[in-house]
Amino acid sequence: MFPKHFLNITATLICLGVASLITGCKTIDSNAAAKFATSVTTVKNQADDALTTAAKLTRDEGVTYVSTRPALDENDFAETPSSDVIVE
């Protein structure tokens, strides 16, 4: 009458439905969610600060290095990755 996989899917859905009715849905504590969101924002800000500082230090050291060289050649130049590449 019905294909076997259809009956398996139906049985699985019925079991999941019964299990969710018995156990109920767990609610998320809004205070915990707010604390988590604040923590994520803090970590993001710290990472942004660290990357900005590292970029500035690298740029400053590069300028210092180049300014002390008597001559520059092609090997002294390197492509700096864009922020899109760094994010990936």
Side-chain angles (χ1 to χ4, degrees):
M1 186 159 130
F2 288 110
K4 186 175 182 178
H5 71 278
F6 178 78
L7 295 176
N8 287 340
I9 292 172
T10 305
T12 301
L13 290 175
I14 290 172
C15 288
L16 289 174
V18 170
S20 68
L21 288 174
I22 292 172
T23 60
C25 295
K26 180 160 177 62
T27 59
I28 297 174
D29 180 17
S30 60
N31 290 332
K35 288 178 184 178
F36 178 76
T38 301
S39 298
V40 169
T41 301
T42 301
V43 169
K44 181 189 175 304
N45 290 339
Q46 290 172 349
D48 288 344
D49 289 345
L51 289 173
T52 301
T53 302
K56 182 182 181 321
L57 178 63
T58 302
R59 185 175 49 249
D60 292 347
E61 290 298 317
V63 168
T64 301
Y65 172 77
V66 168
S67 65
T68 59
R69 305 267 303 169
L72 298 175
D73 60 16
E74 192 66 31
N75 293 330
D76 291 320
F77 297 94
E79 182 178 350
T80 304
S82 67
S83 60
D84 295 339
V85 171
I86 294 172
V87 169
E88 292 175 3

